[in-house]
Structure formats: C-alpha cells, structure tokens
Amino acid sequence: MPKITAEEFKFFSDLVKQSSGIALNKGKEYLLESRLSELVKVLGLRSIDELYRKARFNMTPQLKKEIIEAMTTNETYFFRDQHPFNALHKHIIPELIEKNKDKRTMRFWSAACSTGQEPYSIALLILEHFPQLSSWKVEILATDISYKAVKKGQDGRYTQVEANRGLPITLLIKYFKQQGAFWMINEKVKRLVRFKTMNLLGPFTGVGTFDVIFCRYVLIYFDLETKKKILEKLVKVLNPGGYLFLGATETPVGLPPNMKRVMFGRAVCWKKQS
Ligand SMILES: C[S@@+](CC[C@H](N)C(=O)[O-])C[C@H]1O[C@@H](n2cnc3c(N)ncnc32)[C@H](O)[C@@H]1O
C-alpha cells in the first residue's frame, strides 16, 4: 500500500516543480515517496502524512529547502564522459588561449556542478596541461541548487569510492592528500573554482559571461518549456565564439539558432556564432 496519497503527491510535485523545475510526473510516486521517507526520518517525524501537513499548513523557508534538497539527484564523477574534457584539452582551450590572449582571462561555468567533480575536472585539466595559464585570470564558477552538494564541493573532500570514479591515479596522487578515509583536493585546484548555490530557474544576473558552459545531466529533469527558458538564458551569458556542453544523452531542443553544433572527436557541443 503506497504511503503517499494522490493529494500529497500533487502537493509535493507542484512544490518541487515550482521551486526547482524538477518535474515529477505521474509514475514518479515511488521516487517521491522514497526520498521523502528519508527526510521524514531526518526531521524526526512519524510519516509522510505528518510532513505533508507541516508543509501544507506551516511551511518555512528551511523546510522548503529540505524538500527540494531531498528531490535532487547528485550523481556525478570526475571526467564524466571523458570526451568533453578531451575536447577542452585538444581544441577548445588552445583556441581560447589564442582568442583571449590580449585580455588574458578565461571563464568556465559548471551550471549544476553537484558535489564538485565536474568543475574540479576542468581545473585539474588546466593545471596539468596548460601551465601558461598560471599568469591568466582563470575562473570556474560552480553552481548548484543543492546546498549540501555545494558545501561538499567547497570542502573538496571525497571518499575513496568517489576518488576512484573517473580520476586517474596520477592526478589523485599529485593533487589530493589522504586524510583518514578521505581524499582532500589541494588549495591550488580549489583556488580556480568558486562555488555558489544557485537555482537555474532564477535570473542569471551577476554571474558575468563565459567562454565555456557545462550544463550536463540537469535539463533532463525539467519539462520542455523550462528547458527552453534555461537554454536561452545560458546562451545569453555565453561569449560569442563560446561553447556549451550538455549531457551526452541530452537533446538540445529549444537552443537558439545562433548555436551551431560542433564535434571534436567524439565530443558534441554547441558554439555560439559571433
Ligand atoms: C545528475 S547531477 C549532474 C552533475 C554534473 N553536471 C555532472 O554531469 O556530473 C544534477 C544536478 O543538478 C542539480 N539541479 C537540479 N535542479 C536544479 C536547479 N533548478 N538549479 C540548479 N541545479 C539544479 C542537482 O542538485 C544535481 O546536483
């Protein structure tokens, strides 16, 4: 017998959609139920019904934040899919070094960075292969709606299992320090990345503009209209000639026509036309 009623499902799925864009369509009752059951335990409540009544009649910003937090999926790992990082290494960063040689700045955005493995992969690639950029102003902005994921990214502290996922052993030894059961990323890498909680549904004011944006494996959670709006906003903050990466399985429905599909080896990305 399901623990969640149709009324509760509607209430929570509407709340999550409005606040984060994450669409929990019919059939996702199980997901909502299992995630909220965890939250019920953490909050010391007795049931989802009790959580529902609290949220419905006595909602606080903190409770709302915890409900959204419970519904985010933070799956990620270092150098995920590999090809985008090969494209950065072999084609895009060399092109940007030439293009930006007068202003000597390069900006990346990992929009939906989860626990930091994606922005740190970019930072590791830069430190490892582009020593000439040490005198440039290089910034990797890393944002996510999940405050817990952002905190973990800021801490740069990973378990052995997390460190084993996608990270070559040579980089682990060179850029991390073992501390008990954890691996801490070193300050040199951390300095390149600026973490911030940010909701992709909100305005992008104040983030500046970017040469490369990674927005991977997050748009899959949104409906078409939300996806289109976010893509439009992303393209606006991309510099002319800049590149956008989506997840390998994601279709760029709703990308403005000034974005041209480009392939570097097996990496697919979109380049903003000047
Ligand atoms: C599956 S992870 C992808 C992480 C990373 N981009 C990668 O490809 O490995 C999806 C992330 O999107 C975040 N997210 C979901 N909705 C969001 C929103 N409205 N604004 C910002 N981040 C969001 C989640 O918190 C989660 O960390």
Side-chain angles (χ1 to χ4, degrees):
M1 163 136 161
K3 285 186 228 154
I4 194 159
T5 64
E7 184 184 330
E8 288 165 354
F9 180 72
K10 181 166 176 5
F11 173 80
F12 285 117
S13 53
D14 285 352
L15 176 76
V16 170
K17 171 105 189 285
Q18 273 162 23
S19 314
S20 70
I22 299 170
L24 295 160
N25 301 325
K26 277 214 172 320
K28 295 274 178 161
E29 287 85 352
Y30 170 75
L31 180 70
L32 188 73
E33 191 179 297
S34 70
R35 299 284 184 86
L36 292 184
S37 298
E38 286 300 308
L39 183 58
V40 162
K41 270 192 236 155
V42 172
L43 297 178
L45 303 175
R46 278 181 302 270
S47 61
I48 290 184
D49 181 51
E50 192 180 347
L51 177 67
Y52 167 68
R53 278 181 281 115
K54 222 171 145 58
R56 177 94 199 259
F57 304 110
N58 201 10
M59 182 64 106
T60 61
Q62 185 59 30
L63 181 59
K64 196 166 170 181
K65 194 166 144 184
E66 293 302 337
I67 293 169
I68 304 308
E69 186 75 31
M71 294 317 300
T72 62
T73 301
N74 307 122
E75 162 68 5
T76 187
Y77 48 93
F78 289 99
F79 297 97
R80 186 175 195 171
D81 297 346
Q82 194 57 54
H83 305 300
F85 299 96
N86 294 345
L88 284 185
H89 179 190
K90 297 289 176 203
H91 304 277
I92 295 175
I93 296 180
E95 181 184 313
L96 290 172
I97 289 176
E98 181 55 29
K99 182 179 165 217
N100 295 1
K101 63 177 186 279
D102 294 333
K103 55 179 187 170
R104 296 169 73 80
T105 65
M106 210 178 281
R107 293 194 82 227
F108 300 80
W109 184 13
S110 168
C113 63
S114 187
T115 42
Q117 286 88 331
E118 183 176 89
Y120 283 140
S121 299
I122 301 173
L124 289 167
L125 183 121
I126 290 171
L127 288 171
E128 199 54 16
H129 299 289
F130 299 96
Q132 66 272 47
L133 290 179
S134 63
S135 59
W136 285 41
K137 192 173 179 299
V138 174
E139 186 188 41
I140 303 160
L141 177 67
T143 64
D144 200 283
I145 196 171
S146 160
Y147 75 93
K148 285 184 189 158
V150 166
K151 168 80 173 59
K152 185 173 161 75
Q154 260 160 353
D155 290 346
R157 184 171 174 263
Y158 298 99
T159 64
Q160 184 73 56
V161 172
E162 288 163 339
N164 283 347
R165 292 188 73 195
L167 193 61
I169 185 84
T170 45
L171 296 187
L172 181 64
I173 289 164
K174 193 165 168 188
Y175 295 99
F176 291 73
K177 212 173 139 184
Q178 196 161 18
Q179 222 175 60
F182 296 94
W183 289 90
M184 306 291 298
I185 201 153
N186 79 25
E187 284 304 318
K188 212 171 155 190
V189 190
K190 272 187 170 179
R191 269 200 296 274
L192 290 178
V193 184
R194 183 163 64 90
F195 284 94
K196 193 174 177 283
T197 49
M198 183 177 155
N199 186 346
L200 289 171
L201 288 196
F204 292 178
T205 38
V207 294
T209 61
F210 300 91
D211 298 297
V212 180
I213 298 176
F214 275 46
C215 186
R216 304 190 307 152
Y217 301 105
V218 58
L219 298 178
I220 39 170
Y221 298 106
F222 303 152
D223 65 16
L224 190 61
E225 201 185 322
T226 310
K227 210 188 270 195
K228 273 187 185 164
K229 281 190 191 144
I230 293 173
L231 282 170
E232 265 168 34
K233 289 192 290 180
L234 288 171
V235 171
K236 276 200 184 121
V237 295
L238 193 60
N239 290 331
Y243 292 92
L244 171 68
F245 283 90
L246 303 175
T249 50
E250 293 174 297
T251 45
V253 187
L255 255 191
N258 61 342
M259 295 297 285
K260 185 172 166 247
R261 187 176 186 273
V262 182
M263 275 191 87
F264 294 112
R266 292 174 64 188
V268 177
C269 57
W270 282 266
K271 184 172 188 174
K272 184 166 169 178
Q273 301 306 289
S274 305

